[in-house]
């Protein structure tokens, strides 16, 4: 069984995926980490040297590679489900869980996060909330296709496990 955690940058996909995998005794995979290891480049350098389009192609390839895995909780990159038919690929092959958070909570969490986010970095600070609001609106068209939608502000791992019915 494959479980994909999806949602905007900073919504907590990686930490929830790790905890969920631990409880279920599943493997854990972070797709951004996998991409960096496979292609020997950091996401920041990838954006800088080759641009977003190349990044989107590589993250699609990484998604394809997850399809042959078994019993794994996968933390996707925030944009992954929103490009190249990836949301359909995810739902055709696994269960998806959208961690939903408001733009205000997201920006707060992003401000306190150590992970570099090239898409956010390039936006002047005073425009970031508006940027997040607009991008989230576009992306929710995809995120809301998830099998399950959970409130990212109040996540209880046992509640997620109940939803999964396993
Ligand atoms: C991106 C999200 C990032 C990473 C890349 C692009 C996006 O992952 O894949 O910087 O387009 O939303 P996180 O969601 O883990 O921040």
């Amino acid at each position: 069984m494959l479980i994909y955690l999806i949602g905007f940058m900073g919504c907590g996909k990686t930490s929830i995926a790790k905890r969920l995998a631990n409880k279920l005794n599943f493997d854990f995979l972070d797709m951004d980490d996998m991409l960096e290891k496979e292609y020997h480049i950091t996401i920041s350098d990838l954006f800088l040297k080759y641009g977003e389009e190349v990044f989107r192609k590589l993250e699609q390839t990484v998604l394809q590679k997850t399809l042959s895995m078994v019993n794994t909780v996968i933390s996707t990159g925030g944009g992954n489900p929103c490009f190249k038919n990836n949301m359909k690929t995810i739902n055709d092959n696994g269960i998806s869980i959208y961690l939903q958070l408001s733009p205000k909570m997201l920006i707060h969490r992003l401000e306190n996060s150590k992970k570099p986010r090239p898409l956010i970095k390039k936006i002047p600070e005073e425009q970031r909330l508006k940027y997040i609001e607009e991008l989230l609106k576009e992306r929710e068209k995809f995120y809301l296709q998830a099998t399950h939608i959970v409130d990212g502000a109040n996540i209880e791992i046992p509640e997620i496990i109940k939803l999964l019915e396993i």
Side-chain angles (χ1 to χ4, degrees), residues 57-97:
K57 278 197 189 123
L58 298 187
E59 73 170 359
Q60 183 189 28
T61 310
V62 170
L63 175 62
Q64 291 297 329
K65 288 190 178 169
T66 65
L67 304 183
S68 57
M69 296 175 176
V70 285
N71 290 352
T72 309
V73 183
I74 298 155
S75 170
T76 63
N80 189 293
C82 315
F83 291 86
K84 303 192 180 294
N85 223 18
N86 290 345
M87 191 66 219
K88 182 169 175 355
T89 304
I90 289 172
N91 280 338
D92 284 351
N93 291 279
I95 292 172
S96 52
I97 302 173

Side-chain angles (χ1 to χ4, degrees), residues 15 23-25 27 29 40-41 54 56 60 70 73 93 95 100 105 109 115 121-122 127-129 142 156:
S15 74
K23 268 273 177 294
L24 293 173
N25 225 355
D27 288 332
L29 177 82
H40 306 285
I41 187 166
V54 171
R56 296 301 169 200
Q60 183 189 28
V70 285
V73 183
N93 291 279
I95 292 172
Q100 191 171 40
M105 290 200 70
R109 293 172 62 130
K115 179 175 176 176
K121 207 173 137 198
K122 67 175 190 197
Q127 292 170 27
R128 280 186 190 160
L129 182 59
F142 300 92
E156 303 283 353

Side-chain angles (χ1 to χ4, degrees), residues 5 10 12 26 32-33 36 40 60 71 75 90 95-96 110 116 119 129-130 136 139 147 149 162 164:
L5 293 202
F26 275 28
D32 282 344
D33 283 353
E36 290 187 336
H40 306 285
Q60 183 189 28
N71 290 352
S75 170
I90 289 172
I95 292 172
S96 52
L110 286 167
L119 288 179
L129 182 59
K130 193 163 179 283
L136 180 63
R139 289 186 168 182
T147 325
I149 298 165
K162 252 189 232 159
L164 296 172

